[in-house]
Amino acid sequence: MLPQLFSLFGYPVHTYGVTAAMGFLAGFFFARWQAVVTKQDPEHTADLIFYAIIFGVIGARILYVMLEWNSYFAEHPGDILRIDKGGLVFYGGPLFTALPLWWVMRRRGLSIWAYSDLVMPATILGLGFGRLGCLAAGCCYGHPAEVPWAIHYPEGSTPAYAYLGAALHPTPLYEFAACIAITAMAAWYNKRKQRHGETFFLTVLSYAIARSIIEVFRGDKVRGFLIEDVLSTSQAISIFVGIACIGAWLYFRKKPTKTMSLDYYPKGEGPYGMRTDDSSA
């Protein structure tokens, strides 16, 4: 564990904040690179990533506060904006970001599915780096394990106290590895997809499956449960999202090809998001 890297002018620089910043930058440059590969506009992509970061953090915090309202924030409402008092729940990010990003893309006349193929993998990449911060902060830890790669948290830390110093599954590293693998798969598939939207659905479904599995090895109780010690909140959301993703994909497969085709652009738009003179293009 290394919650704090160093102090700058008397202010602590937390590892979680640094890894989160690394994740934002990694997602930003990944999305711009993929925009060039798929012949979308890198500048529009950069703007969408910026909005995704802002609304994603807000949404992730809102969901965390909702889950912990009765146990903490009802009595400490002044701590709602203090991320150091508790953290973020990833699924809150996409859930609260979807509508603002949809509105921005519609305003600009962008192909929603084309740019979703760029933003979602970038989001997963950013999450992966954030999980390194979780490892350093001692949150999102696993339950006791006897595998060779199990880790011991330092004495006095929350994981060590919760499990009496036992070796635990390094679940943040599991999710980091899963996020990197999903992002790499998305980059590979983006160059081979037949329709816009395919990469988005593949990415979401892959993360939902990975998160459901990783939740089995999680040992932190603070993440919340729908069925105590059986079905965590994030696991329930993952199952729902996975089923919804499969259903949506099957539905879109029945739609006309142009709905998600590679050569489809909204009215008045051409490649790289450029407006065309012919509004019927």
Side-chain angles (χ1 to χ4, degrees):
M1 282 180 61
L2 186 63
Q4 181 179 327
L5 285 176
F6 53 84
S7 294
L8 186 63
F9 304 113
Y11 293 95
V13 176
H14 297 285
T15 307
Y16 189 92
V18 173
T19 58
M22 292 170 56
F24 294 152
L25 289 175
F28 176 84
F29 287 112
F30 172 84
R32 284 182 61 91
W33 166 53
Q34 286 296 288
V36 174
V37 169
T38 59
K39 295 181 172 57
Q40 305 304 319
D41 185 351
E43 297 307 317
H44 279 311
T45 304
D47 290 345
L48 292 173
I49 291 296
F50 175 75
Y51 290 125
I53 291 172
I54 294 176
F55 289 105
V57 171
I58 294 174
R61 182 60 175 178
I62 288 174
L63 185 55
Y64 180 85
V65 171
M66 290 171 61
L67 294 175
E68 297 298 316
W69 179 259
N70 291 330
S71 62
Y72 183 82
F73 290 103
E75 297 181 1
H76 305 86
D79 290 341
I80 289 177
L81 298 180
R82 294 188 59 182
I83 297 182
D84 59 316
K85 298 292 186 179
L88 309 170
V89 175
F90 167 72
Y91 273 121
L95 290 174
F96 284 86
T97 303
L99 186 58
L101 288 187
W102 174 85
W103 183 83
V104 171
M105 286 187 278
R106 292 292 292 179
R107 271 287 281 197
R108 298 188 179 187
L110 303 178
S111 172
I112 293 174
W113 293 115
Y115 285 90
S116 295
D117 284 346
L118 308 179
V119 174
M120 183 51 68
T123 301
I124 297 299
L125 178 61
L127 171 65
F129 279 89
R131 288 308 184 196
L132 296 179
C134 293
L135 181 68
C139 63
C140 306
Y141 50 87
H143 60 62
E146 296 182 357
V147 295
W149 55 86
I151 59 176
H152 288 273
Y153 285 86
E155 184 178 353
S157 64
T158 299
Y161 175 79
Y163 290 104
L164 303 177
L168 309 178
H169 279 288
T171 45
L173 292 182
Y174 293 171
E175 191 157 350
F176 170 75
C179 289
I180 296 299
I182 291 170
T183 306
M185 176 183 64
W188 176 85
Y189 194 77
N190 248 341
K191 295 187 292 185
R192 295 163 176 80
K193 64 183 181 180
Q194 298 300 311
R195 303 179 178 208
H196 288 319
E198 288 183 354
T199 304
F200 170 83
F201 286 117
L202 179 63
T203 301
V204 174
L205 179 61
S206 298
Y207 178 76
I209 293 172
R211 182 62 183 269
S212 296
I213 295 172
I214 293 171
E215 284 289 306
V216 174
F217 301 98
R218 289 272 293 264
D220 53 323
K221 305 296 184 182
V222 71
R223 69 191 191 278
F225 287 85
L226 291 186
I227 302 176
E228 191 64 28
D229 294 328
V230 175
L231 185 66
S232 71
T233 303
S234 292
Q235 199 168 32
I237 295 175
S238 293
I239 294 172
F240 172 79
V241 168
I243 294 173
C245 188
I246 294 173
W249 171 242
L250 293 175
Y251 170 77
F252 278 113
R253 291 290 293 180
K254 297 180 180 179
K255 302 292 284 184
T257 304
K258 74 172 187 177
T259 302
M260 299 170 68
S261 65
L262 291 172
D263 57 355
Y264 170 69
Y265 298 97
K267 185 177 181 180
E269 183 193 341
Y272 286 85
M274 300 299 293
R275 308 301 297 181
T276 61
D277 293 332
D278 181 2
S279 60
S280 63

